[in-house]
Amino acid sequence: MVMEKINLDWHQTLTKKVCSKNMTESTINDQYQEIIKLIRRKQLKDAVAKLFVFIFDIPDNRKLIDELERIETSYGYMLEYMRRNIIDPERQKMHTRLLTDTLTLTDQARIIKTSSVSNRLYFSTSSYAKTLPQQSIKDYLMSLESFTEEIAVAGLLHENMENAQNIRKKHEETNQNLFDFVWTNSFWNSQDQEETSEILTSMLLPANDLCLFVSAVTMSLMECFDLRKIMWLFKAYEHQTAIVNQRALVGLAFMFQLYHERMLLYPEIISRLTLLNETEHFSQELSRVQIQLLLSQETTKIDRKMREEIIPEVIKSVQPRNTKFDFDENEDGANDQNPEWILQNMESSPLADKLREMNELQMEGADIYMSTFAQLKGYPFFKSMANWFYPFDPQHSAVIKELNAEKSPLINMILESGFFCDSDKYSMCFTIMHIPQGQRESMVSQLSEQQMNEIMDDQKVQSFKKHFERPEVVSNLYIHNLYRFFKLFPRRMQFRDIFNEPLQLYRYTILQPILSKPEYLQSIAEFLFRKEYMSEAANIYESLLELTEGTTEIYQKIGYCRQKERRYAEAIEYYHKADILKPDNLWTNRHLAICYRNLRDFKHALEYYRKVETALPENKQILFNIGSCLAELDQNDEALNYFFKLDFIDSENLKVWRGIAWCSFVSGKFEQSKRYYERILEKAPTASDYLNAGHLAWCLSHIEDAIKLYTQSVEASKDKQEFLTMFHKDTMYLIFQGINKDDIPLMLDLL
């Protein structure tokens, strides 16, 4: 059988001269992405053609070329069988395998090509690692396993501090080298796969070392996809120790973010997810990590809130405050949430609210310490990439050198605290180290005996440890560690910062069977709603409607989200659905009125304001808006009744005076209108107030007064055009009150 080549004259391609010295990392990545896009679209023929060119200038590329020719040949046979209409039940599997093989080959080529032109830490570390004595993962494992025994023997023999320190430093150096080795090892072979499985089952490997290994695997996968590493993370997730399995879970979440489309091509991954989905445990934990990742993206906002709101409010709390009623503070419930959505309605004050807010942020796992510790990452310890991921260890050589954990309650306090991530605990230790010994002892001596007993109380210590060893706490603090690395590491710009991306795992096809369950979508939607991501929250609530029967609360919340987006027609649609399920709800009616009013549908707005009035007959804002709607509908006499009622309740309200003055003017009650405009002009008149008073003066034939007032309106306006726009909107009222329409342009020229 004569095989057709895949649209590529290979011998002609070999004659091309590609100048690799002109290649840059950016150019290589652009070419790489072109090939990846073709594979993603399953255009394998074109992808293979481009890949041949891509690998041409790689030195010693024979192995890559042989693999690519194998892919090309296999694909050619597959196409030929299809041309001959030969039934092949394995065709789809083979096609998928060829796609994944091409992806892997493309990844390998990118790594090799980039290594010769890039000065990124990844490649410089890889080059340095190759200069070290070559060791396998098993060699590293044996060295790490011996640490516990060596340090224990040193203690039994009462060896001096220096010998113990040397053992620790050797252990830490091994961890550092292993981290670099794993991080820069782009692709595991079968031997690596077997040896890394032993790491998970080792009974002698310290848990902290295994945690660091998990982070190394995660960071390696961020550089390059490797199926074996991803499957290893799945195994690590099954580890019995929380600090290990939660790191693996967060690592998997990162991989879903990076490779969710690519993962669909690997049956091994699909099978593992299907297996995990047979129990609710994985779904629950992944949903929780999804929310924690979303919460981590609130860190900048939280930092700003701490600096600009919470701390200033604490300072201001000792100052006298003006408690005068502000009529415009919460305009007609446009920003209020339904009190039925809140379980408790506690008494509050500005200070209490801020303190409660800070406490709630901390309780939900928000990163409120980022800005505090951001300035404390300049210590030599943080120059090593691996140290950003190493669990806090009071026996670390950098810590124990000056602070003995067994004798220092301060270190015990830091160690047992679950409010700080590992990175921040190291920062605290190094900061304490820079406090003179005498002052440190003085700080401890100032603690009362009772306080010391409380700190050292074993029962309380164990209770705290048990709480902070909970999986949800462990995963959240690890995310804080990762956040600090991607935001503060000196060479952070060389890494893809996932925290800058939309973290929406629930949207990815591969995770739909796991996360697209009502209870998980509900919790994600509630989180987004609380954080005021209204558009995304509404979208998830709408997805919930497809999976469940809609409830009043869900319809109300979708309506509220759309209202906040100024999509009033859609908001009205959902509010009406809520009204069907729970008729005559005060909150729903109020928000229907607001939306209709914003659409300038004053007839329907008035209908719903009337319903609200029945329940709140003395509510000033409702009365004012009813009066305003009546005025917009030219029912001025009835509008005046409402405005006069309000004037009786609140006799110094400028907004009410404006309503009375205007309705009186358009009703021809000029003297009444004049009295109220005089009051307004004595207070704080706006450009509109001067304009309306000018209309009244003109209708009273007080031309000079009208010109003066119009001039003041022009001066108070943003510009002349703004004044003219307002003026022309009112011409119909001037004509109705007897002003000759031909005199209107003359009046404007008089100005």
Side-chain angles (χ1 to χ4, degrees):
M1 181 179 62
V2 179
M3 294 294 300
E4 291 187 9
K5 276 290 182 181
I6 302 181
N7 198 23
L8 176 69
D9 188 339
W10 173 237
H11 297 289
Q12 182 179 354
T13 302
L14 286 175
T15 64
K16 291 184 179 180
K17 294 185 178 180
V18 183
C19 300
S20 60
K21 64 180 181 180
N22 294 327
M23 281 284 183
T24 65
E25 186 170 3
S26 176
T27 305
I28 292 170
N29 284 332
D30 289 344
Q31 294 175 354
Y32 169 79
Q33 289 299 333
E34 286 181 16
I35 299 171
I36 294 299
K37 286 178 182 177
L38 290 171
I39 299 173
R40 189 178 296 133
R41 298 189 200 117
K42 299 187 177 182
Q43 297 174 232
L44 189 55
K45 181 189 293 187
D46 294 336
V48 168
K50 282 188 176 293
L51 186 52
F52 267 123
V53 178
F54 189 59
I55 66 177
F56 170 74
D57 61 328
I58 295 177
D60 301 323
N61 62 4
R62 188 67 255 170
K63 186 176 179 181
L64 296 176
I65 290 174
D66 288 346
E67 175 64 12
L68 186 54
E69 287 180 336
R70 180 194 67 79
I71 293 171
E72 179 189 37
T73 301
S74 297
Y75 191 49
Y77 277 116
M78 194 184 83
L79 293 178
E80 183 64 23
Y81 290 157
M82 183 174 179
R83 182 194 300 275
R84 297 184 180 188
N85 200 26
I86 298 174
I87 298 175
D88 183 0
E90 297 295 312
R91 179 183 296 155
Q92 189 56 50
K93 288 183 180 179
M94 181 180 180
H95 187 208
T96 300
R97 187 164 60 251
L98 291 174
L99 289 170
T100 57
D101 288 348
T102 308
L103 281 168
T104 300
L105 193 60
T106 307
D107 287 340
Q108 291 174 341
R110 177 182 66 85
I111 293 292
I112 296 171
K113 287 171 72 74
T114 308
S115 64
S116 62
V117 299
S118 176
N119 61 357
R120 288 200 295 124
L121 181 62
Y122 178 80
F123 295 105
S124 61
T125 302
S126 177
S127 297
Y128 174 73
K130 292 174 183 176
T131 67
L132 299 174
Q134 293 302 298
Q135 297 188 72
S136 66
I137 291 176
K138 189 167 185 176
D139 294 331
Y140 282 112
L141 174 60
M142 292 174 63
S143 177
L144 294 174
E145 286 178 332
S146 67
F147 168 71
T148 304
E149 182 179 352
E150 289 176 1
I151 201 70
V153 169
L156 288 173
L157 296 177
H158 303 289
E159 293 184 354
N160 60 40
M161 182 71 172
E162 184 177 351
N163 287 340
Q165 276 290 81
N166 289 336
I167 295 172
R168 291 189 185 93
K169 287 181 179 179
K170 178 185 174 183
H171 175 250
E172 291 156 12
E173 183 180 355
T174 302
N175 261 318
Q176 172 73 66
N177 292 337
L178 177 58
F179 180 93
D180 291 343
F181 178 76
V182 173
W183 173 42
T184 58
N185 184 353
S186 306
F187 303 95
W188 281 352
N189 55 34
S190 56
Q191 180 184 340
D192 295 328
Q193 184 178 24
E194 182 179 344
E195 292 178 351
T196 53
S197 295
E198 294 181 26
I199 284 181
L200 287 174
T201 57
S202 172
M203 302 297 291
L204 300 176
L205 184 68
N208 284 355
D209 298 354
L210 182 52
C211 285
L212 185 63
F213 192 90
V214 173
S215 295
V217 172
T218 301
M219 296 307 295
S220 180
L221 279 165
M222 289 193 69
E223 292 288 344
C224 186
F225 182 92
D226 183 0
L227 178 61
R228 286 189 170 103
K229 291 195 190 83
I230 288 179
M231 298 310 292
W232 186 89
L233 281 180
F234 277 116
K235 289 182 180 178
Y237 171 66
E238 296 170 354
H239 197 276
Q240 61 183 1
T241 307
I243 59 173
V244 175
N245 60 48
Q246 292 306 301
R247 284 199 177 208
L249 178 62
V250 173
L252 286 169
F254 272 43
M255 296 313 108
F256 294 133
Q257 174 69 15
L258 293 172
Y259 303 117
H260 55 94
E261 289 185 6
R262 181 168 178 170
M263 284 180 172
L264 292 168
L265 297 174
Y266 295 88
E268 301 93 332
I269 296 177
I270 302 298
S271 297
R272 180 56 64 92
L273 288 173
T274 302
L275 183 63
L276 288 170
N277 196 32
E278 289 180 0
T279 64
E280 287 298 305
H281 184 67
F282 181 70
S283 299
Q284 291 170 353
E285 294 215 310
L286 187 60
S287 174
R288 179 244 300 160
V289 167
Q290 163 70 94
I291 293 174
Q292 289 174 338
L293 288 171
L294 292 172
L295 184 59
S296 71
Q297 295 185 310
E298 292 282 290
T299 301
T300 301
K301 187 191 299 184
I302 291 169
D303 178 40
R304 188 183 307 115
K305 182 183 289 287
M306 292 287 290
R307 288 185 287 103
E308 298 178 3
E309 297 181 27
I310 295 178
I311 295 176
E313 187 61 45
V314 172
I315 296 172
K316 190 174 67 175
S317 65
V318 298
Q319 304 295 330
R321 283 204 294 271
N322 180 10
T323 57
K324 185 178 182 298
F325 176 74
D326 184 355
F327 196 75
D328 294 321
E329 186 172 348
N330 183 20
E331 206 259 315
D332 189 21
N335 294 313
D336 69 319
Q337 295 190 18
N338 191 341
E340 295 177 5
W341 303 337
I342 304 170
L343 295 179
Q344 294 183 3
N345 188 13
M346 302 167 61
E347 293 184 9
S348 66
S349 67
L351 174 61
D353 288 345
K354 295 302 179 186
L355 292 176
R356 187 181 302 116
E357 184 177 9
M358 184 171 68
N359 184 60
E360 289 172 354
L361 286 171
Q362 189 171 27
M363 288 300 100
E364 74 174 336
D367 191 349
I368 65 175
Y369 299 113
M370 173 67 177
S371 59
T372 302
F373 288 98
Q375 309 304 317
L376 302 177
K377 303 299 179 187
Y379 297 107
F381 176 86
F382 294 109
K383 290 183 179 180
S384 167
M385 177 176 166
N387 286 342
W388 289 78
F389 306 101
Y390 198 71
F392 178 73
D393 184 359
Q395 298 296 320
H396 193 285
S397 63
V399 175
I400 204 170
K401 180 180 179 181
E402 296 191 32
L403 295 177
N404 189 325
E406 295 179 0
K407 296 180 181 179
S408 173
L410 289 174
I411 286 295
N412 281 333
M413 290 168 63
I414 295 171
L415 177 61
E416 303 305 333
S417 169
F419 295 114
F420 305 109
C421 65
D422 300 309
S423 176
D424 290 350
K425 289 179 181 180
Y426 280 115
S427 292
M428 291 179 70
C429 280
F430 301 141
T431 302
I432 291 172
M433 286 180 188
H434 285 75
I435 301 174
Q437 181 68 28
Q439 291 186 26
R440 294 209 303 264
E441 292 175 355
S442 175
M443 290 167 60
V444 176
S445 67
Q446 290 178 26
L447 295 172
S448 67
E449 183 177 349
Q450 180 182 354
Q451 290 172 322
M452 287 291 293
N453 289 335
E454 288 181 358
I455 291 172
M456 304 303 290
D457 183 274
D458 287 339
Q459 187 175 355
K460 288 187 176 180
V461 168
Q462 291 305 316
S463 176
F464 273 111
K465 283 187 67 175
K466 187 174 181 181
H467 172 77
F468 294 125
E469 287 173 356
R470 292 166 59 185
E472 60 268 31
V473 177
V474 173
S475 63
N476 196 52
L477 291 177
Y478 179 53
I479 290 171
H480 291 185
N481 274 334
L482 292 168
Y483 190 88
R484 278 148 183 69
F485 173 79
F486 286 105
K487 301 299 181 183
L488 302 175
F489 183 60
R491 300 179 74 169
R492 58 189 174 276
M493 300 306 294
Q494 298 179 7
F495 296 85
R496 176 175 172 178
D497 185 356
I498 282 184
F499 294 102
N500 285 340
E501 303 176 9
L503 295 169
Q504 301 171 342
L505 306 184
Y506 52 87
R507 285 189 170 276
Y508 302 150
T509 302
I510 194 167
L511 295 177
Q512 289 291 303
I514 295 170
L515 293 181
S516 287
K517 299 174 183 177
E519 60 270 32
Y520 305 131
L521 288 178
Q522 178 86 30
S523 62
I524 294 169
E526 292 296 334
F527 173 84
L528 293 167
F529 184 83
R530 289 199 313 273
K531 300 302 179 182
E532 298 187 355
Y533 294 101
M534 296 303 180
S535 177
E536 188 62 23
N539 291 338
I540 300 178
Y541 281 130
E542 287 175 339
S543 298
L544 272 172
L545 293 178
E546 298 174 4
L547 300 172
T548 63
E549 293 183 5
T551 64
T552 302
E553 182 175 326
I554 289 179
Y555 284 123
Q556 285 178 332
K557 286 184 174 178
I558 298 175
Y560 185 77
C561 290
R562 297 311 185 199
Q563 179 184 335
K564 295 288 284 185
E565 294 179 86
R566 300 179 185 274
R567 294 161 64 174
Y568 299 114
E570 293 177 51
I572 288 170
E573 178 184 346
Y574 283 105
Y575 284 145
H576 276 306
K577 290 178 179 179
D579 187 51
I580 292 172
L581 294 177
K582 192 174 183 179
D584 296 322
N585 178 266
L586 178 63
W587 187 91
T588 303
N589 286 338
R590 189 170 186 175
H591 285 261
L592 275 167
I594 296 169
C595 291
Y596 277 121
R597 190 192 68 208
N598 282 311
L599 290 175
R600 301 193 64 78
D601 184 348
F602 297 107
K603 179 180 178 181
H604 283 98
L606 181 60
E607 175 188 344
Y608 285 98
Y609 277 130
R610 297 276 200 198
K611 292 183 178 182
V612 177
E613 183 190 15
T614 303
L616 302 172
E618 301 300 320
N619 185 286
K620 290 182 284 187
Q621 189 65 56
I622 300 301
L623 294 175
F624 178 82
N625 282 319
I626 291 176
S628 298
C629 289
L630 289 167
E632 293 285 355
L633 294 169
D634 289 327
Q635 299 177 35
N636 294 294
D637 288 338
E638 191 176 356
L640 280 171
N641 291 335
Y642 277 90
F643 289 137
F644 278 125
K645 180 178 180 179
L646 275 170
D647 193 35
F648 178 78
I649 297 172
D650 185 3
S651 60
E652 295 295 322
N653 194 302
L654 208 59
K655 287 176 65 176
V656 175
W657 292 354
R658 290 188 179 109
I660 294 173
W662 179 255
C663 288
S664 298
F665 167 69
V666 296
S667 299
K669 302 172 182 178
F670 292 159
E671 289 303 319
Q672 182 171 278
S673 177
K674 182 180 178 182
R675 288 197 303 274
Y676 279 90
Y677 274 126
E678 287 173 349
R679 291 188 194 179
I680 294 169
L681 296 178
E682 289 175 358
K683 293 288 186 180
T686 64
S688 180
D689 293 328
Y690 286 122
L691 176 72
N692 295 336
H695 294 336
L696 176 62
W698 192 4
C699 291
L700 289 170
S701 300
H702 301 160
I703 304 299
E704 290 296 333
D705 290 341
I707 293 173
K708 179 181 177 182
L709 289 164
Y710 284 147
T711 302
Q712 288 175 299
S713 180
V714 172
E715 293 171 350
S717 299
K718 181 175 65 176
D719 51 37
K720 182 72 175 289
Q721 186 56 49
E722 183 181 60
F723 166 80
L724 291 174
T725 300
M726 291 192 299
F727 188 98
H728 287 305
K729 284 182 179 178
D730 293 345
T731 53
M732 59 178 290
Y733 296 106
L734 292 171
I735 294 170
F736 181 77
Q737 296 299 342
I739 299 298
N740 190 322
K741 66 177 182 179
D742 294 329
D743 288 344
I744 291 176
L746 301 180
M747 171 59 78
L748 291 174
D749 282 343
L750 281 174
L751 305 182

